[in-house]
Amino acid sequence: MRPSLVFILTAIFAILQITVMDYFKFFGAKPDLILTAALIGGLFLNLKFALGLGVSAGIFKDVFSLNALGLNAVLLPIWIFLIKKLIRRVAIEDNLSRTLLVFSVSLLNNIISGLVLIYSGPSVPPLIFLRIVILSSIYTASVFYLTVRFIAK
Amino acid sequence: MFKLTRKQLIFVVSSFLLFILFIVSISILRKPVTSSLKQPLSLIAFLRREIGGLIFYHYNLLENEALKKEVNFLKHKINSLNEYYLENDRLKENLSFKKKSPLKLISARVIARSADNWSLSLTIDKGSYNGIRRGMSVITYLGLAGRVVETTSSTSKIILLSDPNLGVSGIVQRSRQEGLVSGTLGSNLIIKYLPEEADIKIGDTIVSSGLDEAYPKGILIGRVVEIGREFSGLSRYALIRPAVNFSSIEEILVVVP
C-alpha cells in the first residue's frame, strides 16, 4: 500500500473522529478511527513511515482529548512497533486475522486508557467501563475490516 | 306541402324510432364494448408507447438525466434549507435565552469533539480574544453543560458535565439537599455523597448550588431517575438524567462572571 494513501486516510479519519463520530455512538462507545488508521499504517507501511504516522496520530488524538499526559502519542507507536515485530515472526495475511489483531490491540489500548483515567482520580462505574472497552473495540475492528476491504478493491 | 305517402310516413317514423333506439342503446352498449375492446386497445397503446420510446429513446434519455439532476439538486436544496431552519430555531432559542438571562453570556459554536472514548470535551470557536477565560462555566438554554479548561486566542476547550473528571456542587431544588454532581461517561450523571437521611425522590430537579462559585446558582442540571446506596453503606447516590443532550450540542453559552 502506498504511504501517501495511508497518510490521506489517516487525515480523513482524524477529521471524522473529532467532528462526526459522536453521532455514531453506540451505547456511549464510538469507534477509534485514529487508532484504525495508525494500525493500517503499522500493517502496510515500513517501520519508519509507520512510526512517524503513529506518533503524529497519537499527538493529534491527545490534542483533542483531555489527557494530562500524551498517552496516545506513546501508545500508538508502541502498538505499531509490536505489530511490526509480530508480523515479522507470524505471517498475518488475511483480513480476518488482521481484524482480530486490531481488535486485540484496540482492547488493550482501551483498557490502558480507561485504567489511566480511573487511577487519575475519577470513578467510572464498572459496567460503563466494560461497555466502552468491549463495544469500542468491536466497533474499531469492524471499521478496520470494512476500510481494508474497501481499500483492497 | 309536406304531404307524405303512407310508405314514406312509416319510413320516417321507423327511422326516427331507430335513431332514438340507437341513442338509448349507446349507453347500454358502452360497457360491454369498452370492456371487450380493453385488451386490444391496451395492446395498441402499449405498442404505441414502446415504439414512441424507441423512436424518442435518445431524447427521453437526455430528459431523464436532466430531470434526475434537477431532482438531486432540489433534494440537496431542501436538505440545506431544513438545516438552516433547524439552525435558525436553535439560534433563536439561544438569543431569547441570552436576552432573558441576567447572566453575561458569550455565545459560541462547537467546532470539534473529543477524539477518544475516555473523555468528553468540546472545542469552541471563541477564545481569550473574545473574553473567554479558563474556569468559566458553560451552559446551553436547556441547562448546565460544562466548564472551560483551556483557551487559545481563538478557540477554547470545554470539559462536559458528563465527563467523570468534572464535579459540580448541586442541590435538590425541592429539599435543598446538597451533593456532588459528576459524569459517568454514560448517558446519566451521578450525584454523590448524599447522607443516609437525604430528602430526595425520583423526579426531583437538580440545580447548581452556586456554593463552589465556579457555576452560577440555580442552573438546571437534570432530573433524578434512580436512587441507590453507596457500596460502603455510609451514603447514598442518585442517577440524574441530564437536561442537556451532550452528544448533540452545537452552540453553547459561556458565562462571564
Side-chain angles (χ1 to χ4, degrees):
Chain A
M1 200 176 284
R2 280 181 303 169
S4 58
L5 180 68
V6 180
F7 277 96
I8 290 168
L9 181 83
T10 309
I12 293 169
F13 272 15
I15 298 296
L16 288 177
Q17 183 75 39
I18 59 159
T19 50
V20 295
M21 287 323 288
D22 270 25
Y23 299 108
F24 295 98
K25 270 189 174 177
F26 182 68
F27 285 102
K30 58 184 173 185
D32 194 337
L33 298 186
I34 297 173
L35 179 72
T36 306
L39 296 184
I40 287 174
L43 284 164
F44 297 105
L45 299 182
N46 66 39
L47 186 66
K48 207 167 69 179
F49 275 126
L51 283 178
L53 182 83
V55 173
S56 336
I59 290 170
F60 182 85
K61 201 174 163 189
D62 283 324
V63 166
F64 286 94
S65 305
L66 289 168
N67 299 330
L69 306 162
L71 186 69
N72 293 295
V74 176
L75 279 179
L76 293 196
I78 289 176
W79 299 134
I80 288 170
F81 184 73
L82 291 178
I83 283 175
K84 281 279 166 211
K85 282 268 177 200
L86 183 75
I87 56 177
R88 228 180 258 172
R89 285 160 192 257
V90 187
I92 301 173
E93 297 294 329
D94 65 305
N95 204 7
L96 199 67
S97 313
R98 285 176 186 146
T99 307
L100 283 173
L101 178 68
V102 169
F103 173 74
S104 317
V105 171
S106 176
L107 203 66
L108 277 174
N109 193 65
N110 273 322
I111 290 170
I112 292 171
S113 305
L115 288 177
V116 167
L117 172 78
I118 290 168
Y119 281 106
S120 67
S123 63
V124 178
L127 280 177
I128 292 178
F129 178 85
L130 281 175
R131 197 174 71 192
I132 293 175
V133 165
I134 294 165
L135 287 182
S136 170
S137 305
I138 294 172
Y139 218 160
T140 305
S142 313
V143 170
F144 171 85
Y145 181 80
L146 294 173
T147 310
V148 172
R149 274 196 72 168
F150 180 74
I151 291 171
K153 275 184 183 174
Chain B
M1 191 180 166
F2 290 105
K3 263 195 173 177
L4 294 169
T5 62
R6 193 187 169 89
K7 258 188 175 177
Q8 280 172 328
L9 186 70
I10 290 168
F11 176 75
V12 169
V13 170
S14 56
S15 303
F16 181 72
L17 283 173
L18 268 173
F19 181 68
I20 296 292
L21 189 70
F22 177 72
I23 289 173
V24 172
S25 66
I26 286 280
S27 61
I28 299 163
L29 288 172
R30 189 171 287 141
K31 250 186 180 175
V33 171
T34 319
S35 60
S36 60
L37 283 177
K38 191 186 165 189
Q39 296 297 336
L41 285 174
S42 310
L43 185 68
I44 291 164
F46 172 76
L47 288 172
R48 198 183 59 194
R49 199 180 63 224
E50 289 304 307
I51 292 164
L54 287 172
I55 293 168
F56 297 107
Y57 175 78
H58 190 68
Y59 171 79
N60 288 341
L61 186 78
L62 291 177
E63 193 180 44
N64 187 28
E65 275 175 8
L67 288 172
K68 268 184 186 167
K69 267 184 197 165
E70 203 172 328
V71 166
N72 286 339
F73 172 73
L74 289 172
K75 269 185 191 169
H76 172 74
K77 206 161 186 180
I78 287 169
N79 280 342
S80 58
L81 283 175
N82 199 27
E83 191 56 33
Y84 280 128
Y85 174 77
L86 292 172
E87 188 184 19
N88 188 30
D89 250 17
R90 284 198 312 272
L91 292 175
K92 263 185 192 166
E93 274 166 346
N94 266 351
L95 189 66
S96 82
F97 178 79
K98 206 174 161 181
K99 274 182 186 166
K100 279 182 215 160
S101 172
L103 305 164
K104 194 182 169 202
L105 303 165
I106 300 168
S107 62
R109 274 171 193 272
V110 174
I111 53 167
R113 290 162 192 276
S114 54
D116 63 355
N117 279 298
W118 301 102
S119 60
L120 294 161
S121 64
L122 301 172
T123 307
I124 56 168
D125 64 349
K126 284 187 181 159
S128 54
Y129 181 78
N130 306 93
I132 295 175
R133 300 280 176 271
R134 195 170 181 268
M136 285 179 173
S137 52
V138 174
I139 60 172
T140 73
Y141 63 91
L142 291 170
L144 192 61
R147 191 175 191 182
V148 178
V149 284
E150 269 175 39
T151 54
T152 66
S153 61
S154 58
T155 63
S156 302
K157 192 177 271 184
I158 288 149
I159 179 170
L160 291 174
L161 195 53
S162 49
D163 189 294
N165 279 303
L166 186 67
V168 178
S169 170
I171 51 168
V172 180
Q173 200 172 40
R174 179 181 55 82
S175 63
R176 316 311 286 175
Q177 176 65 55
E178 200 192 329
L180 182 73
V181 179
S182 65
T184 59
L185 284 177
S187 55
N188 289 331
L189 307 174
I190 189 166
I191 179 164
K192 294 184 280 191
Y193 310 124
L194 296 168
E196 192 60 19
E197 68 282 2
D199 183 7
I200 186 165
K201 287 187 224 163
I202 288 172
D204 272 344
T205 303
I206 309 292
V207 295
S208 57
S209 70
L211 288 175
D212 50 11
E213 292 187 0
Y215 305 93
K217 191 178 178 178
I219 303 285
L220 181 64
I221 293 173
R223 283 182 200 285
V224 176
V225 287
E226 194 185 317
I227 300 166
R229 188 160 277 116
E230 292 274 4
F231 186 66
S232 63
L234 297 172
S235 58
R236 291 162 78 194
Y237 71 88
L239 291 181
I240 304 164
R241 166 107 16 212
V244 177
N245 182 2
F246 297 108
S247 59
S248 64
I249 299 176
E250 285 180 56
E251 288 93 19
I252 53 100
L253 299 162
V254 181
V255 181
V256 181

